[in-house]
Amino acid sequence: MMTPKLAGPPDGGWGWVVAAAAFVVNGLSYGLLRSLGLALPDLAEHFDRTAQDTAWVSALALAVQQAASPVGSALSTRWGARPVVMVGGILTSLGFIFSAFAGSLLHLYLGLGVLAGSGWALVFAPAVGTLSRYFSRRRVLAVGLALTGSGASSLLLAPALQLLLHTVGWRGALLLLGAITLHLIPCGALLRPLALPGDPPAPPHGPLAALGLDLFTRRSFLVFALGTAMVGGGYFVPYVHLAPHALDQGLGGYGAALVVAVAAVADAGARLVCGWLADQGWVPLTRLLAVFGALTGLGLLAVGLGWEGSLLATAGAYGLSAGGYAPLVFGVLPGLVGIEGVVQATGLVMMLMSLGGLLGPPLSGFLRDETGDFTTSFLVCGSLVLSGSFIYMGLPGAMPSCHPASSPATAPPERGELLPIPQVALLSPGNPHSTLDTAC
């Protein structure tokens, strides 16, 4: 049942419950995917396959989860986020349980890659999109808080998964993970619908309208889409190959888990700090997006160039930069497409990142098989992230301007026409050609 239409986002209240639900959803999707890399060496040994072959397990899960995210957004727009997320939790659990009985890598591709990936596609975008609708002035902080779920999950799951691999093997570990992912179901039940001004009177008709593909006609969203797709080519490589890279450096199983945990803690802390910083309005969100994207690329280069003794430090630096980037990707969307289009835009962003996420980990595995280590892999992927960050500079407000600053914008924030930035006029949903103006 839809709640009565409000004058604007409550900016709190039940929104914090939604933030807690999104926190768990993020932890049981991206946090679990990040830790899953610890099982890849065991899978390669059991099936006698290469690192490139086993990398496709995580790569397919990432790619399906992100490529099918617009479907999750469209279903959420039509039926509401609550039932969609609950069904996604069931599919994800079934994917892990099916994979626990795999007799070949093909079974893992289908179980973890297709089935669990499809379930994740139905949970992440609806949860984060619903959260964005509950907040206005504290939106980026709320999104950043939800996105710390992946870091907290990695901190707990990385050593736990390593212990499970040593005690019950990879089959037992996947069975237990299948039980844990059932917690996505109550998370979906907490996503209470919210009616806001500007919402269409009826769900969009037709598949193209439901997917929100008309958003690509807006120049700023198109620039954002191109940069995000490029960043996706390298952003998710550490999710799959940071732990194997640490193993190659001679750190051992628990040492590799510690590297993943350090990156996760830094990532989680940066998401909160960056969310708070973005909501202060001191720097345009698009400029922060470009800066933290570039820092993430440099962090990947540092991980690739680091040696055994410095891997903990470089992994922490990468976690800080990647954590700062994450909430900005979703926090900038309401200002580009309006609050009424944020759920669809979230799904499209996930799809765009899947284009790189599908190719990045296998490319990293291929380069590792050819060169004998992951150094070249991280250098190439870091370069891709840097390239995407340069594309972000084409967004309005990403570069300083020497024109006089405009007066503070006053459009109602619940319409999504403003990002929380004083002195910066943002894009209006009705005027996609609006530009931002900042002081030099």
Side-chain angles (χ1 to χ4, degrees):
M1 180 179 296
M2 186 73 71
T3 58
K5 182 169 289 188
L6 304 175
D11 220 32
W14 190 260
W16 295 116
V17 178
V18 175
F23 174 92
V24 178
V25 166
N26 185 245
L28 294 180
S29 53
Y30 285 106
L32 187 50
L33 272 169
R34 178 179 292 176
S35 302
L36 203 58
L38 291 168
L40 295 184
D42 285 10
L43 296 177
E45 180 181 357
H46 180 84
F47 294 108
D48 193 23
R49 303 295 287 270
T50 65
Q52 181 183 1
D53 293 333
T54 54
W56 277 101
V57 175
S58 296
L60 278 174
L62 275 170
V64 171
Q65 185 263 337
Q66 292 178 286
S69 285
V71 177
S73 298
L75 293 174
S76 177
T77 302
R78 178 64 180 86
W79 303 105
R82 179 177 287 167
V84 173
V85 173
M86 295 175 74
V87 171
I90 295 173
L91 291 178
T92 303
S93 179
L94 290 176
F96 275 93
I97 294 172
F98 174 82
S99 299
F101 299 95
S104 68
L105 274 184
L106 177 61
H107 294 161
L108 290 172
Y109 295 157
L110 295 175
L112 290 178
V114 178
L115 190 55
S118 298
W120 279 322
L122 298 182
V123 301
F124 184 81
V128 175
T130 300
L131 175 61
S132 295
R133 291 173 56 81
Y134 268 89
F135 289 88
S136 175
R137 296 300 178 187
R138 292 182 286 184
R139 179 179 292 130
V140 185
L141 176 60
V143 172
L145 175 63
L147 295 184
T148 59
S150 64
S153 175
S154 297
L155 178 63
L156 296 174
L157 286 178
L161 180 56
Q162 187 63 47
L163 178 63
L164 289 174
L165 291 172
H166 282 169
T167 55
V168 298
W170 64 269
R171 295 187 187 274
L174 292 183
L175 275 177
L176 289 173
L177 291 177
I180 292 173
T181 51
L182 283 174
H183 288 82
L184 291 169
I185 298 175
C187 290
L190 295 174
L191 301 180
R192 180 186 297 172
L194 181 67
L196 295 174
D199 288 345
H205 297 286
L208 295 182
L211 292 172
L213 297 182
D214 60 315
L215 295 176
F216 287 107
T217 62
R218 306 184 182 188
R219 178 187 174 276
S220 293
F221 185 77
L222 183 60
V223 172
F224 174 81
L226 292 174
T228 302
M230 186 69 72
V231 170
Y235 187 84
F236 294 106
V237 168
Y239 280 58
V240 180
H241 284 146
L242 181 58
H245 178 50
L247 292 173
D248 280 354
Q249 296 293 319
L251 293 180
Y254 289 100
L258 178 61
V259 170
V260 174
V262 167
V265 170
D267 185 293
R271 293 183 186 210
L272 286 176
V273 173
C274 187
W276 175 85
L277 173 64
D279 283 335
Q280 303 310 303
W282 298 328
V283 182
L285 292 189
T286 49
R287 191 175 305 167
L288 284 174
L289 181 69
V291 169
F292 276 95
L295 291 176
T296 302
L298 293 175
L300 284 169
L301 296 179
V303 170
L305 293 173
W307 57 93
E308 178 181 348
S310 67
L311 192 54
L312 279 175
T314 54
Y318 156 76
L320 288 172
S321 54
Y325 170 84
L328 294 169
V329 173
F330 301 103
V332 78
L333 288 177
L336 296 177
V337 303
I339 195 65
E340 70 278 2
V342 71
V343 176
Q344 294 169 314
T346 301
L348 292 175
V349 168
M350 305 306 298
M351 179 188 70
L352 293 166
M353 297 194 79
S354 74
L355 299 177
L358 176 63
L359 299 177
L363 173 62
S364 175
F366 169 77
L367 292 174
R368 193 272 181 197
D369 291 336
E370 293 296 317
T371 62
D373 57 43
F374 285 101
T375 299
T376 304
S377 300
F378 280 92
L379 294 180
V380 170
C381 295
S383 300
L384 291 174
V385 175
L386 283 173
S387 300
S389 302
F390 285 123
I391 295 176
Y392 283 148
M393 292 181 181
L395 289 171
M399 297 292 292
S401 169
C402 290
H403 298 293
S406 60
S407 59
T410 58
E414 64 270 13
R415 294 185 59 193
E417 296 177 356
L418 295 175
L419 296 175
I421 306 170
Q423 299 185 352
V424 181
L426 293 168
L427 299 176
S428 166
N431 182 12
H433 302 292
S434 301
T435 56
L436 301 176
D437 190 25
T438 65
C440 185

